[in-house]
Amino acid sequence: MYTPRAFVETDLAELDRLIARDAFGTLVTPADALPLVSHLPVLYAREGDQVLIEGHWARPNPQARHAGSALVIVHGPHAYLSPGWYPDKEEAARVPTWNYAVAHLHGTLEITEETGALAGIVDRLSRVNEASVGNDWRFEHDRDDHVRQLRGIVGFRILPARIELMFNLNL
């Protein structure tokens, strides 16, 4: 990712805030001629400098058969800025711009089809997201119909080896 020095962010607390705002990522993996791309809700955890991203795909998704290098992109807030909003910079040939925050997390993708791991991912995703919409659906580990549904997904986890944060915030 091209990141001008002025917009580099190194504080992982900013990544925490970015993902807490919107835990939805773009997962990119290499393929033959074109990259494979999925847009997915993700689980995020951080302990010190160690970050963990988890989620799952629908089993038919071709990306669900990929283990290896991966990139997770997390988009933060963004907005167009009109030059008319900063008249004090008239002498500097003001121009329009776009403010945004984004994170690129590079690492090795690990996949899992283990029932307990999949149940844990679905359970944690539903707890976080159900709470955010004021509902209380729960994955029930002892319900056969819930467990059977896990056959339709493949889980993943990424421990990013490189994290790039860019906060292009002007004005």
Side-chain angles (χ1 to χ4, degrees), residues 7 76-81 85-86 96-102 166-171:
F7 304 132
H78 59 91
Y80 172 78
L81 296 181
W85 294 349
Y86 44 105
T97 191
W98 202 276
N99 274 4
Y100 61 94
V102 67
M166 180 169 157
F167 285 64
N168 182 6
L169 305 172
N170 296 300
L171 247 170

mmCIF file of all heavy atoms in Angstrom, residues 7 76-81 85-86 96-102 166-171:
data_model
loop_
_atom_site.group_PDB
_atom_site.id
_atom_site.type_symbol
_atom_site.label_atom_id
_atom_site.label_comp_id
_atom_site.label_asym_id
_atom_site.label_seq_id
_atom_site.Cartn_x
_atom_site.Cartn_y
_atom_site.Cartn_z
ATOM 1 N N PHE A 7 1.001 10.095 6.676
ATOM 2 C CA PHE A 7 -0.247 9.381 6.971
ATOM 3 C C PHE A 7 -0.033 8.009 7.615
ATOM 4 O O PHE A 7 -0.994 7.282 7.856
ATOM 5 C CB PHE A 7 -1.076 9.229 5.701
ATOM 6 C CG PHE A 7 -1.374 10.538 5.027
ATOM 7 C CD1 PHE A 7 -1.176 10.684 3.668
ATOM 8 C CD2 PHE A 7 -1.842 11.626 5.742
ATOM 9 C CE1 PHE A 7 -1.444 11.893 3.030
ATOM 10 C CE2 PHE A 7 -2.107 12.836 5.123
ATOM 11 C CZ PHE A 7 -1.909 12.964 3.763
ATOM 12 N N GLY A 76 -11.929 2.040 7.089
ATOM 13 C CA GLY A 76 -12.516 2.846 8.145
ATOM 14 C C GLY A 76 -13.385 3.931 7.553
ATOM 15 O O GLY A 76 -13.785 3.861 6.387
ATOM 16 N N PRO A 77 -13.651 4.947 8.325
ATOM 17 C CA PRO A 77 -14.466 6.046 7.812
ATOM 18 C C PRO A 77 -13.746 6.755 6.676
ATOM 19 O O PRO A 77 -12.515 6.769 6.611
ATOM 20 C CB PRO A 77 -14.629 6.961 9.028
ATOM 21 C CG PRO A 77 -13.529 6.595 9.951
ATOM 22 C CD PRO A 77 -13.193 5.169 9.683
ATOM 23 N N HIS A 78 -14.521 7.318 5.773
ATOM 24 C CA HIS A 78 -13.952 8.043 4.645
ATOM 25 C C HIS A 78 -14.938 9.119 4.201
ATOM 26 O O HIS A 78 -16.140 8.997 4.428
ATOM 27 C CB HIS A 78 -13.624 7.098 3.488
ATOM 28 C CG HIS A 78 -14.808 6.361 2.978
ATOM 29 N ND1 HIS A 78 -15.586 6.836 1.953
ATOM 30 C CD2 HIS A 78 -15.379 5.193 3.379
ATOM 31 C CE1 HIS A 78 -16.570 5.976 1.719
ATOM 32 N NE2 HIS A 78 -16.468 4.979 2.585
ATOM 33 N N ALA A 79 -14.391 10.177 3.579
ATOM 34 C CA ALA A 79 -15.253 11.268 3.129
ATOM 35 C C ALA A 79 -14.512 12.162 2.146
ATOM 36 O O ALA A 79 -13.303 12.358 2.251
ATOM 37 C CB ALA A 79 -15.715 12.104 4.320
ATOM 38 N N TYR A 80 -15.250 12.692 1.220
ATOM 39 C CA TYR A 80 -14.750 13.684 0.273
ATOM 40 C C TYR A 80 -14.597 15.018 0.991
ATOM 41 O O TYR A 80 -15.452 15.392 1.809
ATOM 42 C CB TYR A 80 -15.749 13.826 -0.879
ATOM 43 C CG TYR A 80 -15.432 14.959 -1.825
ATOM 44 C CD1 TYR A 80 -14.432 14.822 -2.778
ATOM 45 C CD2 TYR A 80 -16.138 16.156 -1.752
ATOM 46 C CE1 TYR A 80 -14.140 15.871 -3.648
ATOM 47 C CE2 TYR A 80 -15.862 17.202 -2.622
ATOM 48 C CZ TYR A 80 -14.853 17.052 -3.565
ATOM 49 O OH TYR A 80 -14.569 18.079 -4.425
ATOM 50 N N LEU A 81 -13.523 15.744 0.698
ATOM 51 C CA LEU A 81 -13.317 17.077 1.247
ATOM 52 C C LEU A 81 -13.268 18.081 0.100
ATOM 53 O O LEU A 81 -12.423 17.984 -0.790
ATOM 54 C CB LEU A 81 -12.008 17.163 2.028
ATOM 55 C CG LEU A 81 -11.905 16.299 3.280
ATOM 56 C CD1 LEU A 81 -10.566 16.513 3.953
ATOM 57 C CD2 LEU A 81 -13.030 16.593 4.243
ATOM 58 N N TRP A 85 -14.083 24.115 1.666
ATOM 59 C CA TRP A 85 -14.171 24.007 3.118
ATOM 60 C C TRP A 85 -12.960 24.595 3.828
ATOM 61 O O TRP A 85 -12.967 24.699 5.049
ATOM 62 C CB TRP A 85 -14.349 22.555 3.536
ATOM 63 C CG TRP A 85 -15.648 21.964 3.100
ATOM 64 C CD1 TRP A 85 -16.725 22.618 2.576
ATOM 65 C CD2 TRP A 85 -16.008 20.597 3.131
ATOM 66 N NE1 TRP A 85 -17.735 21.741 2.285
ATOM 67 C CE2 TRP A 85 -17.319 20.471 2.620
ATOM 68 C CE3 TRP A 85 -15.367 19.437 3.544
ATOM 69 C CZ2 TRP A 85 -17.983 19.270 2.511
ATOM 70 C CZ3 TRP A 85 -16.026 18.230 3.434
ATOM 71 C CH2 TRP A 85 -17.319 18.149 2.923
ATOM 72 N N TYR A 86 -11.919 24.917 3.101
ATOM 73 C CA TYR A 86 -10.751 25.503 3.755
ATOM 74 C C TYR A 86 -10.242 26.702 2.946
ATOM 75 O O TYR A 86 -9.190 26.661 2.321
ATOM 76 C CB TYR A 86 -9.664 24.468 4.040
ATOM 77 C CG TYR A 86 -9.341 23.474 2.955
ATOM 78 C CD1 TYR A 86 -8.169 23.610 2.206
ATOM 79 C CD2 TYR A 86 -10.169 22.376 2.692
ATOM 80 C CE1 TYR A 86 -7.842 22.699 1.212
ATOM 81 C CE2 TYR A 86 -9.850 21.460 1.701
ATOM 82 C CZ TYR A 86 -8.689 21.627 0.969
ATOM 83 O OH TYR A 86 -8.370 20.733 -0.008
ATOM 84 N N PRO A 96 -9.503 19.395 -4.225
ATOM 85 C CA PRO A 96 -10.322 18.425 -3.486
ATOM 86 C C PRO A 96 -9.461 17.237 -3.059
ATOM 87 O O PRO A 96 -8.427 16.956 -3.656
ATOM 88 C CB PRO A 96 -11.376 17.994 -4.501
ATOM 89 C CG PRO A 96 -10.860 18.391 -5.827
ATOM 90 C CD PRO A 96 -9.856 19.477 -5.630
ATOM 91 N N THR A 97 -9.902 16.561 -2.020
ATOM 92 C CA THR A 97 -9.191 15.369 -1.550
ATOM 93 C C THR A 97 -10.184 14.415 -0.907
ATOM 94 O O THR A 97 -11.380 14.687 -0.834
ATOM 95 C CB THR A 97 -8.060 15.739 -0.568
ATOM 96 O OG1 THR A 97 -7.244 14.574 -0.339
ATOM 97 C CG2 THR A 97 -8.598 16.261 0.754
ATOM 98 N N TRP A 98 -9.692 13.308 -0.464
ATOM 99 C CA TRP A 98 -10.511 12.304 0.203
ATOM 100 C C TRP A 98 -9.803 11.931 1.487
ATOM 101 O O TRP A 98 -8.622 11.570 1.463
ATOM 102 C CB TRP A 98 -10.655 11.064 -0.687
ATOM 103 C CG TRP A 98 -11.852 10.239 -0.354
ATOM 104 C CD1 TRP A 98 -11.941 9.279 0.611
ATOM 105 C CD2 TRP A 98 -13.129 10.306 -0.959
ATOM 106 N NE1 TRP A 98 -13.201 8.754 0.647
ATOM 107 C CE2 TRP A 98 -13.957 9.371 -0.321
ATOM 108 C CE3 TRP A 98 -13.670 11.078 -1.983
ATOM 109 C CZ2 TRP A 98 -15.280 9.163 -0.669
ATOM 110 C CZ3 TRP A 98 -14.984 10.861 -2.324
ATOM 111 C CH2 TRP A 98 -15.779 9.925 -1.668
ATOM 112 N N ASN A 99 -10.487 12.009 2.595
ATOM 113 C CA ASN A 99 -9.940 11.560 3.878
ATOM 114 C C ASN A 99 -10.395 10.133 4.126
ATOM 115 O O ASN A 99 -11.557 9.788 3.842
ATOM 116 C CB ASN A 99 -10.440 12.441 5.031
ATOM 117 C CG ASN A 99 -9.581 13.665 5.229
ATOM 118 O OD1 ASN A 99 -8.650 13.918 4.469
ATOM 119 N ND2 ASN A 99 -9.898 14.430 6.249
ATOM 120 N N TYR A 100 -9.490 9.329 4.674
ATOM 121 C CA TYR A 100 -9.861 7.944 4.964
ATOM 122 C C TYR A 100 -8.882 7.309 5.929
ATOM 123 O O TYR A 100 -7.764 7.781 6.124
ATOM 124 C CB TYR A 100 -9.952 7.113 3.687
ATOM 125 C CG TYR A 100 -8.661 7.013 2.898
ATOM 126 C CD1 TYR A 100 -7.790 5.951 3.081
ATOM 127 C CD2 TYR A 100 -8.328 7.987 1.964
ATOM 128 C CE1 TYR A 100 -6.617 5.866 2.353
ATOM 129 C CE2 TYR A 100 -7.162 7.902 1.230
ATOM 130 C CZ TYR A 100 -6.308 6.827 1.433
ATOM 131 O OH TYR A 100 -5.140 6.743 0.713
ATOM 132 N N ALA A 101 -9.346 6.219 6.517
ATOM 133 C CA ALA A 101 -8.508 5.373 7.369
ATOM 134 C C ALA A 101 -8.632 3.956 6.831
ATOM 135 O O ALA A 101 -9.731 3.505 6.482
ATOM 136 C CB ALA A 101 -8.981 5.437 8.820
ATOM 137 N N VAL A 102 -7.504 3.266 6.755
ATOM 138 C CA VAL A 102 -7.504 1.903 6.232
ATOM 139 C C VAL A 102 -6.380 1.109 6.894
ATOM 140 O O VAL A 102 -5.361 1.674 7.288
ATOM 141 C CB VAL A 102 -7.358 1.900 4.683
ATOM 142 C CG1 VAL A 102 -5.987 2.407 4.261
ATOM 143 C CG2 VAL A 102 -7.644 0.540 4.095
ATOM 144 N N MET A 166 -2.960 3.335 7.585
ATOM 145 C CA MET A 166 -2.861 4.637 6.934
ATOM 146 C C MET A 166 -4.074 5.458 7.310
ATOM 147 O O MET A 166 -5.213 5.036 7.114
ATOM 148 C CB MET A 166 -2.797 4.496 5.419
ATOM 149 C CG MET A 166 -2.682 5.819 4.718
ATOM 150 S SD MET A 166 -2.291 5.563 2.999
ATOM 151 C CE MET A 166 -2.884 7.060 2.303
ATOM 152 N N PHE A 167 -3.806 6.628 7.875
ATOM 153 C CA PHE A 167 -4.865 7.544 8.246
ATOM 154 C C PHE A 167 -4.618 8.850 7.485
ATOM 155 O O PHE A 167 -3.853 9.698 7.923
ATOM 156 C CB PHE A 167 -4.870 7.771 9.766
ATOM 157 C CG PHE A 167 -5.415 6.616 10.530
ATOM 158 C CD1 PHE A 167 -4.774 5.378 10.520
ATOM 159 C CD2 PHE A 167 -6.581 6.731 11.246
ATOM 160 C CE1 PHE A 167 -5.279 4.286 11.222
ATOM 161 C CE2 PHE A 167 -7.106 5.652 11.953
ATOM 162 C CZ PHE A 167 -6.445 4.428 11.930
ATOM 163 N N ASN A 168 -5.226 8.958 6.319
ATOM 164 C CA ASN A 168 -5.095 10.131 5.465
ATOM 165 C C ASN A 168 -6.148 11.142 5.911
ATOM 166 O O ASN A 168 -7.266 11.150 5.406
ATOM 167 C CB ASN A 168 -5.297 9.726 4.006
ATOM 168 C CG ASN A 168 -5.130 10.879 3.050
ATOM 169 O OD1 ASN A 168 -4.751 11.963 3.434
ATOM 170 N ND2 ASN A 168 -5.431 10.640 1.791
ATOM 171 N N LEU A 169 -5.808 11.909 6.904
ATOM 172 C CA LEU A 169 -6.759 12.836 7.512
ATOM 173 C C LEU A 169 -6.210 14.247 7.398
ATOM 174 O O LEU A 169 -5.260 14.617 8.088
ATOM 175 C CB LEU A 169 -7.020 12.461 8.978
ATOM 176 C CG LEU A 169 -7.491 11.011 9.182
ATOM 177 C CD1 LEU A 169 -7.549 10.665 10.656
ATOM 178 C CD2 LEU A 169 -8.822 10.769 8.503
ATOM 179 N N ASN A 170 -6.796 15.015 6.528
ATOM 180 C CA ASN A 170 -6.371 16.383 6.270
ATOM 181 C C ASN A 170 -7.288 17.370 6.942
ATOM 182 O O ASN A 170 -8.299 17.014 7.513
ATOM 183 C CB ASN A 170 -6.397 16.664 4.762
ATOM 184 C CG ASN A 170 -5.424 15.820 4.009
ATOM 185 O OD1 ASN A 170 -4.234 15.884 4.252
ATOM 186 N ND2 ASN A 170 -5.913 15.008 3.081
ATOM 187 N N LEU A 171 -6.991 18.620 6.717
ATOM 188 C CA LEU A 171 -7.767 19.799 7.107
ATOM 189 C C LEU A 171 -7.147 20.565 8.206
ATOM 190 O O LEU A 171 -6.345 20.217 8.936
ATOM 191 C CB LEU A 171 -9.207 19.495 7.473
ATOM 192 C CG LEU A 171 -10.246 20.059 6.519
ATOM 193 C CD1 LEU A 171 -11.613 19.539 6.798
ATOM 194 C CD2 LEU A 171 -10.193 21.514 6.325
#
